Every structure is written in C-alpha cells, then in structure tokens.
Amino acid sequence: EPGETKTDALLRKLKDGVERIQTSDEFRNYLIAMSRFHSYSWNNQLLIMLQRPDATHVAGFNTWKDLGRWVKKGELGIAIFAPSFRAADVTWMRHADGQRWRIQRLGEEWGIYEDGHLVGRHKTKRAAERQLRMWGATEERVAEAEPRFIVVHVFDIAQTEGKPLPEFAVPVLTGEVNEELFTKLRALMRQRGVTVSFESRPHMDPAIKGQYSAPDQIWVRPEEPPAQQLKTLLHEAAHYYSEGVFRIPRRDAETIAESAAYVVGAHYGFDTGVRSFPYVALWAQDEKALSENLGAIQRVSNTILEELEK
C-alpha cells in the first residue's frame, strides 16, 4: 500500500494470515475441544504422572463422551482429587425492613418459611420465588463453605476410543535456510553477550525447539532441520530483546517473539509463515491480542533489523 514501509507490509501480511486461521472452522473446532481439558493443580499433575507417566490428554468419563469418545472396557481410571462444595445457603431478604425468608421443598410442593414458620405453599420453586419478589425480596447467597476434597477418576486419551480429536498443526520448518541471516544473527548475539548453545538435550520435550533463559542464554535444539534452527534462533533472540532489552511484560511474550521472528526472517527472504501463522494464532487466541501487540512487535523487529545491518 502507498507510503507503507517493508515492516508495515510484513505486519499486515502476518495479521491477515493469522486472522484467516482464527476464523477457520478447523481452528475453532480445535479450540473448543481443547477447552474441555482442565488445567490440573500441581499435586494432581503429580498423581497423574505417577499413575500414568505417558498421559497426554486427560479428562473425565463424561467429557470424553461429549467429545465422541468412550473409555475402553476394563480400563482403570487415574485417581485425582476434586473439590466438592456443599450447596450455597440461599435466603431472600427485603431490604426495606430486613425481613428474611427461605424456600424449601415440601414433597411435591415448595414452601416459603419465615423465622422457621411455613408462610406459603407453591407448586413450583419458580412460583415461590415469584411470590417473594412480589413481597419486595431479593435473593441473597451466603458464602459457600470451604470445599472438601473427594477422589474422582479421569482417563487418558490412550484409554479411550472413538472419534479423533480435532488437530491443528504447527509444522516444523524444512527447506532452504538463509545462511547469511543465520551467520549475522549468531554474530549479533555474541556481540550482545548472549550465549547460543546447540547442545543436545534428549530429556527435553521434543515439542520444545528452543529456550531463552534470562538474562543471556539461548538454547536451540540441534536435531531439527537447519531452517527450523534458524527460525528458533530468531524466536529466542526476539524473546531476549522483548524481555531482556525492552522489559515488555511476559503476558504476550510468545505472540511478540514469533511475530518478530516472522518479520525479521521475511525481511531477509526467509519466509516462516507456514509455522509462524498457526503458532501466533494459537498464542493470540483472542483476535485482539495480535493487534494490541503490533507496536511491540514493530519495535522488537526494527531493533533486530537495525542491529543486523550494522
């Protein structure tokens, strides 16, 4: 577009690519399915690991059923703790004079009680509530008691069968690597006092391609194709600039780092979009997240590009 800088054009391309993914049915179905899986407390994570170390996706019997999968016959559940709340104590109060009432089931009917005395009968709970509103009362909930914990059982996906879970791929980059950019980026990190390590770490989750450890350590998984190694180095270098140099809050760190990696790479003709667009879409699930961080992405990208050109 007229008057648009190269960085602006790349940011527009990134935004368009991410929005196309975020509005796709495939992406929405994936997010809906993933939202059904709970984030477990650390003690429950430990219980899951001790009982089934290879667990990946864990959910209760009914959640699996809702997702179109069923627990296989004979499978033993993974025991974890779940909070169990007693029902909240509900009263109705008329603020004009402080008068209070309670609703309680009476066989097939519902009774309204005032100071322990039955003052009205109704066929449904809704009718009793309607009567109280006519008397000028509003519902008041007394704080729930502290939860007690009970043992419940969950199951790993490997213990189930049925409809496949929706998938959403963030592919590993293969193909040509830009050697000039790779060399310049490593030299820039050395100049900045940042150590870049390519040592093998077989104990690390294979999904983790690299890591920035503040203030001055970057690790890149050496077993990946060279194009993926360069993309990872760009991503971790962007983490270094956003967190270590500009002190940008970590809340949107992944969105900023991957977006900046795409802009810097594409500036040098190294297009990481096939991985970067879905990666950013996952981290910026709220469509506003990318728009709100465009300023930070531009700042980080431009700084890296300026220093690479020195």
Side-chain angles (χ1 to χ4, degrees):
E1 294 185 8
E4 191 177 48
T5 67
K6 189 171 182 180
T7 300
D8 289 335
L10 290 170
L11 284 171
R12 183 166 49 81
K13 188 177 175 185
L14 169 75
K15 199 163 178 285
D16 291 345
V18 170
E19 282 177 357
R20 274 198 306 275
I21 290 170
Q22 288 177 329
T23 54
S24 70
D25 288 340
E26 176 198 8
F27 186 70
R28 279 200 300 270
N29 290 339
Y30 173 81
L31 291 186
I32 290 166
M34 291 303 106
S35 71
R36 304 303 303 273
F37 298 101
H38 295 292
S39 295
Y40 291 102
S41 63
W42 69 267
N43 51 328
N44 275 336
Q45 287 177 28
L46 181 60
L47 285 171
I48 292 167
M49 187 194 74
L50 289 171
Q51 294 168 80
R52 197 171 183 97
D54 57 347
T56 54
H57 289 96
V58 171
F61 185 91
N62 289 326
T63 298
W64 283 123
K65 195 173 170 186
D66 291 343
L67 289 167
R69 297 184 67 84
W70 288 266
V71 175
K72 296 175 190 172
K73 191 174 180 181
E75 289 288 348
L76 294 175
I78 304 164
I80 63 170
F81 291 109
S84 174
F85 288 91
R86 291 185 288 279
D89 191 12
V90 178
T91 63
W92 289 75
M93 180 177 176
R94 185 165 58 205
H95 289 273
D97 58 9
Q99 184 61 54
R100 290 180 178 272
W101 295 271
R102 293 171 62 89
I103 297 175
Q104 193 171 319
R105 184 187 278 277
L106 288 171
E108 296 297 314
E109 294 182 312
W110 291 83
I112 298 176
Y113 286 82
E114 181 182 314
D115 296 328
H117 301 291
L118 181 65
V119 294
R121 287 174 175 267
H122 297 272
K123 288 184 178 179
T124 65
K125 186 179 180 184
R126 184 169 291 181
E129 291 172 343
R130 191 161 51 241
Q131 176 64 71
L132 286 167
R133 288 193 186 96
M134 287 173 66
W135 290 348
T138 55
E139 191 177 24
E140 303 277 327
R141 285 182 178 266
V142 178
E144 292 181 346
E146 285 295 310
R148 59 193 177 93
F149 285 86
I150 59 172
V151 174
V152 299
H153 291 86
V154 292
F155 301 86
D156 180 51
I157 188 171
Q159 298 176 279
T160 68
E161 56 192 359
K163 187 177 162 186
L165 287 181
E167 291 185 0
F168 183 73
V170 180
V172 170
L173 278 187
T174 56
E176 293 298 310
V177 64
N178 186 310
E179 295 291 352
E180 178 201 3
L181 177 57
F182 214 159
T183 303
K184 277 188 169 185
L185 191 56
R186 291 177 73 175
L188 174 58
M189 290 296 97
R190 273 198 305 273
Q191 186 184 325
R192 276 277 184 175
V194 177
T195 302
V196 178
S197 164
F198 290 85
E199 68 182 22
S200 186
R201 294 184 182 176
H203 61 284
M204 290 279 279
D205 181 346
I208 300 172
K209 307 302 181 190
Q211 199 170 52
Y212 164 65
S213 301
D216 56 7
Q217 300 289 320
I218 287 175
W219 169 72
V220 176
R221 185 180 291 281
E223 292 83 6
E224 298 296 334
Q228 179 60 50
Q229 289 184 40
L230 172 53
K231 165 48 237 349
T232 299
L233 182 55
L234 279 167
H235 179 98
E236 303 308 336
H239 268 299
Y240 159 72
Y241 277 93
S242 61
E243 295 170 43
V245 177
F246 293 121
R247 308 292 183 196
I248 296 168
R250 283 192 58 87
R251 182 173 62 90
D252 295 318
E254 292 299 327
T255 299
I256 294 167
E258 188 66 18
S259 299
Y262 166 75
V263 171
V264 173
H267 189 92
Y268 277 83
F270 177 59
D271 191 344
T272 68
V274 67
R275 179 176 172 88
S276 292
F277 293 172
Y279 189 101
V280 173
L282 278 174
W283 281 99
Q285 290 176 17
D286 177 352
E287 288 181 30
K288 294 177 186 171
L290 180 56
S291 299
E292 288 172 353
N293 284 290
L294 286 176
I297 295 162
Q298 192 164 31
R299 195 169 160 203
V300 171
S301 304
N302 284 339
T303 302
I304 296 173
L305 288 168
E306 284 166 13
E307 295 195 2
L308 284 170
E309 289 306 311
K310 282 180 185 176

